Amino acid sequence: MTIPTMPRRRALLAASGAAALLPAAPLRAQAWPARPVRIVVPFPPGGLVDTLARAVSQRLTAQLGQPMVVENRAGAGGNIGADVVAKSAPDGYTLLASSLGPLAVNQFIYPSMPYDTRTAFAPVVLLAQTPKVMCVAKARPWRDVAAVVAEAKARPGQLTAGSAGSGSSLHLALELFKRITGTEIQHVSYRGAAPAVTDLAAGQIDMLFDNIPNILGQIRGDGVRALAVATERRVPQLPEVPTMREQGVDFLFGTAFGLAAPAGTPTEIVTRVAEVVTAALRDPEIGGRLAEQGAILGGGTPAQFAAVVEQERTTLEPVIRAAAIRAE
């Protein structure tokens, strides 16, 4: 072996010393988290995304030894809280737990946005999905989807369907259903899903596409009639309710919830977060509690969640533009 000359040895020593000062990528992932992590929920407390974030945060706090603090920053369809995360340091210590509106489609609904949904975030992991169920008022005679479609075509624009607000996932589900079935149904916008469900049970509106956890109690309590679930196969919570496809309508729709980080967050930290969250979702205590509410638990890789976000954007952009949907 050749021994380096003195000048060359000094150069090698200097280079090795400089390299020692550079942070090693694997060490950053191993060190995370070294302090509390903030999980921003851009909606009020009590909703499903808030429930998901708090269940996961409790599990991760115990597992990782650092507090996972959930912070609700509601407003503007999730844009206010999402903007907080978009403008935070990309270091893994501020995460966004949200439905896909702020991550994928709000830019098509709101006239001005504080961030670009395509570039502001690094998708981390899918938390859960909640399938939509089509329900009608008990006072109506319809027993299947075909009867509703026939009635809507016989009386264009006279049937009414409620939603949680213009641009909400309930509204988008209605508009996609109208597009697929070639029907005209009047949209009735409410300030939240709860008053829409109340009016449906009272027979003030004809129908509603809602997330199963939101309306499951009314279905089981015989307050409304469930006609179809917008899923690939029947759901365990409503095994007697057929799918849309079983009834000849190629309609799939659900609400996805996931974690995102500010764009530029190191890949190894994003991957680490996805791994620990996926493990938490596999915990029987967490999984069982959420599944009882009608949630289909997620998990997986950042790439898989990124694909979900992109599919949402691709599917709903033309629907939003064709219906000229704008936030109220």
Side-chain angles (χ1 to χ4, degrees):
M1 181 176 68
T2 305
I3 298 176
T5 61
M6 286 301 292
R8 187 180 171 200
R9 288 175 64 186
R10 289 195 187 98
L12 289 172
L13 287 171
S16 64
L21 297 176
L22 296 174
L27 292 179
R28 283 194 294 183
Q30 293 168 8
W32 182 91
R35 62 179 190 273
V37 176
R38 177 174 61 157
I39 302 176
V40 176
V41 175
F43 304 107
L48 183 58
V49 66
D50 182 68
T51 300
L52 280 164
R54 293 183 187 279
V56 169
S57 68
Q58 291 174 6
R59 177 73 171 79
L60 296 188
T61 294
Q63 178 183 344
L64 299 174
Q66 289 289 347
M68 302 282 159
V69 183
V70 175
E71 177 182 321
N72 296 90
R73 297 289 294 271
N79 289 342
I80 291 175
D83 187 48
V84 169
V85 177
K87 292 180 170 57
S88 295
D91 55 11
Y93 290 95
T94 302
L95 303 172
L96 177 69
S98 179
S99 60
L100 295 197
L103 295 174
V105 299
N106 277 8
Q107 70 186 61
F108 310 123
I109 296 171
Y110 286 80
S112 63
M113 288 284 291
Y115 60 87
D116 186 337
T117 60
R118 296 181 188 273
T119 60
F121 302 104
V124 177
V125 66
L126 177 69
L127 290 174
Q129 292 177 301
T130 54
K132 289 287 190 291
V133 57
M134 180 183 184
C135 294
V136 299
K138 290 295 294 296
R140 306 303 185 267
W142 313 308
R143 299 287 171 172
D144 54 35
V145 177
V148 174
V149 171
E151 184 80 7
K153 289 184 175 180
R155 299 192 293 129
Q158 295 186 46
L159 270 61
T160 56
S163 84
S166 181
S168 66
S169 68
L170 281 63
H171 183 197
L172 297 179
L174 168 65
E175 295 298 337
L176 183 59
F177 177 81
K178 289 163 56 178
R179 186 183 180 96
I180 290 172
T181 57
T183 54
E184 279 300 322
I185 299 169
Q186 183 182 347
H187 171 232
V188 181
S189 178
Y190 289 84
R191 292 189 176 276
V197 173
T198 298
D199 270 11
L200 180 68
Q204 298 299 312
I205 56 175
D206 294 313
M207 70 185 73
L208 180 69
F209 291 88
D210 202 356
N211 296 319
I212 287 178
N214 293 342
I215 203 168
L216 187 58
Q218 283 282 3
I219 295 171
R220 288 176 171 171
D222 208 31
V224 301
R225 182 183 302 125
L227 297 188
V229 290
T231 52
E232 292 275 4
R233 55 186 62 84
R234 297 192 185 195
V235 299
Q237 296 79 14
L238 298 169
E240 73 285 356
V241 178
T243 68
M244 285 278 183
R245 284 181 170 175
E246 285 181 85
Q247 300 182 65
V249 180
D250 189 15
F251 177 73
L252 298 174
F253 201 102
T255 300
F257 306 90
L259 275 182
T265 300
T267 301
E268 63 273 10
I269 292 180
V270 170
T271 300
R272 173 68 173 147
V273 176
E275 290 172 348
V276 296
V277 170
T278 297
L281 292 173
R282 301 294 182 263
D283 183 289
E285 181 180 351
I286 292 177
R289 187 166 69 248
L290 294 172
E292 286 175 1
Q293 300 180 42
I296 301 171
L297 295 186
T301 67
Q304 289 170 329
F305 183 45
V308 172
V309 173
E310 185 56 33
Q311 181 181 27
E312 181 95 345
R313 182 181 290 118
T314 302
T315 299
L316 293 180
E317 179 183 359
V319 175
I320 293 167
R321 295 195 185 282
I325 296 173
R326 290 292 179 266
E328 297 168 333

